[in-house]
Amino acid sequence: MESRPRDLTATPPERPAKAVHGGRRTRTLDRWVPRRLQVLVVLAAVMCVATVLVAQSQNLPVRDPDDALGPSWIRLPLILLLAVLIDVVPRVALRHRAGTGGYASIQRVLAERWPHEQIRFTLIGLASWYLTYSAFRNLKSAVPFVNDRLWDAQLADLDHLIWLGHDPAPVLHDLLGVGWAATFLTGVYLLWIGLIPASLAWALTWTRNHALAAWYITALAFDWVLGVAGYYALPTLGPIYSRPVDFLSLPQSSQTLQSSMMTDRFQVLGGARTTDTLQTIAAFPSLHVGMMVTICLLVHWNTRRLLPRLLSWTMLVLTVLATLYLGWHFFMDVLGGAAVGALAAWLGAFATGQRPPRFSARTDEPVGAVERE
């Protein structure tokens, strides 16, 4: 019989944990934390410990990275509630139109979509993700206090060599112009910022494929861990800050965000405890590119449908163009980010119990995180 590839929306029960030394403690851990999320929880703990150690050694505060939008203990539950409502309300409305009573339809939808297992998965995944993200932002902010040497000149020289005596940004400015292209690529960069929260909402609240969701969230955590290690190893500012003359022809609207980020950096370096902000400038590797590579690989490995593959790889190409054109990153940052994103996708697979994926699959080979189990 011919096997038809499918895109999976549900996940089978997890395999029982193998018997190991300290099996009772392992079973206790499995009772509280789904096995697919255990590495994510460990990464969150490691990042938090690293944040505390760096903050203490440099006498820096630990801050909520997005407190301008409200305290996280209020903001996150509200965001989660909105995502749950988006998941539940349309289903309740459809059942109500089909003739099911209002209260009965709510009960049935909640029982089907939000059993105890799903609530546990969502809460642990959200808490671990946010702790990892917050630690990442604080560690990134502390980079200039720990390692103040900048490698922009060396990376610019490598770019010059790879691009045969030219610099990427001026080449793209000459090729695409500095009118509509600047506006369009600025929009692409801002669209990416919204893409990650939307994809996390999908993973934590909308899909019921826990295997793929855990793989994705854990891979993003690895992106942050590997990315912040690169920030400390090779601190850089990026072309827009180290070679600003190359970007004078861009419209002011395409430089507003860069200017505000440099203002934040000056405030933090001038007195980290006297400001409520974090500095966010660190170019190598490009995690915009890294996380987009992670998304592309997971889409490529988990579906054979052409449209999502085409959209994800197109977004990657546009993200690379935007980061180079607007001066956020050197070309070497892009290469480093691509390597980080690919490695994070692989590590995420191993960490959540998937088989090592291959870039291309035969037509008769199972596709998707669950089908490989």
Side-chain angles (χ1 to χ4, degrees), residues 180-261:
W180 68 267
T183 302
F184 175 73
L185 292 176
T186 299
V188 168
Y189 198 85
L190 296 176
L191 177 63
W192 182 96
I193 295 175
L195 174 63
I196 297 303
S199 65
L200 285 167
W202 166 84
L204 290 172
T205 63
W206 299 335
T207 184
R208 292 302 176 264
N209 185 341
H210 287 179
L212 182 56
W215 182 1
Y216 176 61
I217 301 169
T218 304
L220 290 190
F222 275 116
D223 275 316
W224 284 323
V225 172
L226 296 170
V228 82
Y231 297 157
Y232 279 86
L234 291 173
T236 52
L237 298 177
I240 188 68
Y241 302 116
S242 59
R243 299 173 59 93
V245 67
D246 290 343
F247 304 92
L248 293 177
S249 59
L250 292 182
Q252 187 62 38
S253 59
S254 296
Q255 303 182 51
T256 302
L257 183 57
Q258 293 96 319
S259 299
S260 66
M261 288 174 59

Side-chain angles (χ1 to χ4, degrees), residues 39-49 127-132 135 221 225:
V39 173
L40 175 63
V41 171
V42 171
L43 289 175
V46 169
M47 289 286 280
C48 288
V49 170
S128 301
W129 166 80
Y130 191 74
L131 288 173
T132 307
V225 172

Side-chain angles (χ1 to χ4, degrees), residues 125-149:
L126 178 63
S128 301
W129 166 80
Y130 191 74
L131 288 173
T132 307
Y133 166 72
S134 298
F136 164 78
R137 288 287 305 276
N138 279 274
L139 287 169
K140 185 177 184 180
S141 184
V143 168
F145 296 94
V146 176
N147 186 356
D148 60 358
R149 179 181 179 183

Side-chain angles (χ1 to χ4, degrees), residues 78-88 114 201 205-206:
L78 289 177
I79 294 173
L80 179 60
L81 176 61
L82 176 62
V84 171
L85 289 175
I86 293 174
D87 178 67
V88 170
W114 291 95
T205 63
W206 299 335

Side-chain angles (χ1 to χ4, degrees), residues 304-369:
R304 291 197 183 97
R305 293 180 180 176
L306 178 60
L307 182 59
R309 284 185 170 191
L310 183 62
L311 288 176
S312 60
W313 289 108
T314 300
M315 185 62 186
L316 172 60
V317 172
L318 292 176
T319 300
V320 170
L321 287 176
T323 60
L324 295 175
Y325 181 97
L326 298 172
W328 289 106
H329 294 286
F330 297 102
F331 187 68
M332 290 302 299
D333 301 335
V334 169
L335 297 181
V340 164
L343 180 57
W346 272 72
L347 291 175
F350 284 107
T352 53
Q354 311 301 326
R355 291 184 194 173
R358 301 192 310 171
F359 185 77
S360 61
R362 301 188 304 271
T363 56
D364 60 342
E365 184 178 350
V367 65

